[in-house]
Amino acid sequence: EETPSPIMDEDLRQRMGAVAVKAAQAVEYLNAGVQVVAVLDPDSATIVVSSQNDSPRRITGDEDLTLPEVFPEFRVPVRQFFE
């Protein structure tokens, strides 16, 4: 086994590290009592929504962001966040 992996370049390593940090931060917020955490990813134009009761879900530009746990009437097309 080689470390670092020869198939992962530095850019990929950096991006994976950044995703791991954001995921850990979302867990910290949820553990502190926040009901919903939404993390925008401008590189993929997606939003990852994490909540205390569900697994994280990725929402794409073709979908609407809804937060029924907090704001039942809230609905915004994801693409509007990246225009």
Side-chain angles (χ1 to χ4, degrees), residues 9 12 30 34 44 51-52 58 63-64 69:
D9 62 16
L12 179 57
L30 293 171
V34 173
S44 64
S51 67
Q52 293 180 348
R58 181 174 298 277
E63 300 173 85
D64 289 344
E69 305 92 338

Side-chain angles (χ1 to χ4, degrees), residues 7-40:
I7 61 171
M8 290 180 54
D9 62 16
E10 186 60 29
D11 180 57
L12 179 57
R13 233 179 256 109
Q14 292 289 331
R15 289 185 294 153
M16 287 178 68
V19 168
V21 168
K22 287 180 183 175
Q25 289 171 334
V27 169
E28 286 182 27
Y29 279 107
L30 293 171
N31 287 339
V34 173
Q35 289 188 11
V36 178
V37 177
V39 178
L40 281 67

Side-chain angles (χ1 to χ4, degrees), residues 3-4 15-16 23 28 34 37 49 54 58-59 61 69 71-72 75-76 81:
T3 304
R15 289 185 294 153
M16 287 178 68
E28 286 182 27
V34 173
V37 177
V49 178
D54 295 318
R58 181 174 298 277
I59 304 171
E69 305 92 338
F71 303 110
R75 179 178 298 275
V76 177
F81 289 97

